[in-house]
Amino acid sequence: MRLLFLGDMVGRSGRTAVWDKLPGLISDFRLDFVIVNGENAAGGFGITEEILIQTLNAGADVVTTGNHVWDQKEALMFAPHQERFLRPANFPQGTPGHGSGLFTAKNGASILVANIMGRVFMHPELDDPFHAAEQILAAAPLGHQADAAVIDFHAEATSEKMCFAHFVDGRVSMVVGTHTHQPTGDHQILNGGTAYMTDAGMCGDYDSSLGFDKEEPLNRFLSKVPKGRFEAAGGPATVCGVGVEISDRTGLAEKVAPLRVGPRLEETVPAFWA
């Protein structure tokens, strides 16, 4: 089974790049399932239902989020009825929406997708992510209810991301980090068979500061006095993510590699998809 995960879409540039490129990626590489993180898709802050629907129409099977999930207040209204839209599962009980779900891939496989947020240097500080993962995996174990399982771990600290991945190693197909918007070079398969990458990177303009126009972030570092609000950068975007091949027999990863399509960063697609 071939699965693609795309990192945080940032602003109009990032989301339109995903909408433009994703149908061709699905067709060219015969992808069975696609997950996209959409928490920065609306001007860099949150996501609207219209953007969610267009992302699903472009070929995403599930859209995950993170700490910016409620920046667009309408998300509180559509989250309960949009089952393919996930917010972090470790929000307190009673929070609108879904933190995980079982979804059907193009090949008929049942895919567990969970969105979980870390706590180190993160706001708001949510419930224990390790406990949340334990509950989700107990309810839909790999090899039983789920043929494959993927966790979007939305977190700042690389140590927390790595320890979380080791905690679930052998029990999920892949753990991929989001939030920091910079693609890492540590894609690997852990000892138990779980694919891992500390951060998938963003889908956005890399001539920027994390997908935002450079001027205001730079001003705040230099002067400590805000002059304006952060605005999503509008230049050509690079689509970044990670591809994985998952065993139909075990549900564990067999191959993993980054995907980067667009300007500035070196373009790469998983060679095993050629």
Side-chain angles (χ1 to χ4, degrees), residues 30-179:
R30 304 183 304 281
L31 302 181
D32 296 300
F33 201 80
V34 177
I35 304 165
V36 179
N37 185 293
E39 74 144 8
N40 300 116
F45 299 96
I47 185 170
T48 65
E49 189 167 22
E50 180 181 356
I51 292 172
L52 168 67
I53 291 170
Q54 290 196 57
T55 305
L56 296 173
N57 288 342
D61 294 286
V62 177
V63 174
T64 56
T65 55
N67 57 303
H68 289 289
V69 60
W70 310 126
D71 284 4
Q72 302 294 322
K73 297 308 178 187
E74 68 176 84
L76 290 164
M77 303 303 295
F78 70 73
H81 67 261
Q82 289 285 0
E83 294 186 355
R84 294 198 285 163
F85 174 76
L86 299 183
R87 46 81 174 159
N90 49 332
F91 267 105
Q93 187 174 4
T95 301
H98 315 276
S100 63
L102 284 167
F103 306 93
T104 303
K106 291 181 179 62
N107 66 347
S110 180
I111 314 295
L112 172 67
V113 182
N115 191 184
I116 299 176
M117 198 165 101
R119 295 200 291 188
V120 179
F121 307 130
M122 295 294 287
H123 179 79
E125 185 173 307
L126 302 185
D127 297 339
D128 181 1
F130 295 85
H131 178 65
E134 198 68 65
Q135 289 185 310
I136 291 167
L137 297 179
L142 186 65
H144 296 275
Q145 284 87 344
D147 298 309
V150 178
I151 298 177
D152 174 349
F153 192 62
H154 196 81
E156 181 76 30
T158 55
S159 59
E160 187 180 22
K161 291 180 177 182
M162 291 175 175
C163 285
F164 180 87
H166 288 301
F167 177 69
V168 298
D169 184 23
R171 296 189 286 163
V172 301
S173 312
M174 180 167 68
V175 172
V176 57
T178 55
H179 179 65

Side-chain angles (χ1 to χ4, degrees), residues 232-255:
T238 298
V239 171
C240 285
V242 57
V244 61
E245 286 207 354
I246 299 168
S247 169
D248 294 331
R249 181 178 60 85
T250 66
L252 296 172
E254 296 181 323
K255 300 174 183 177

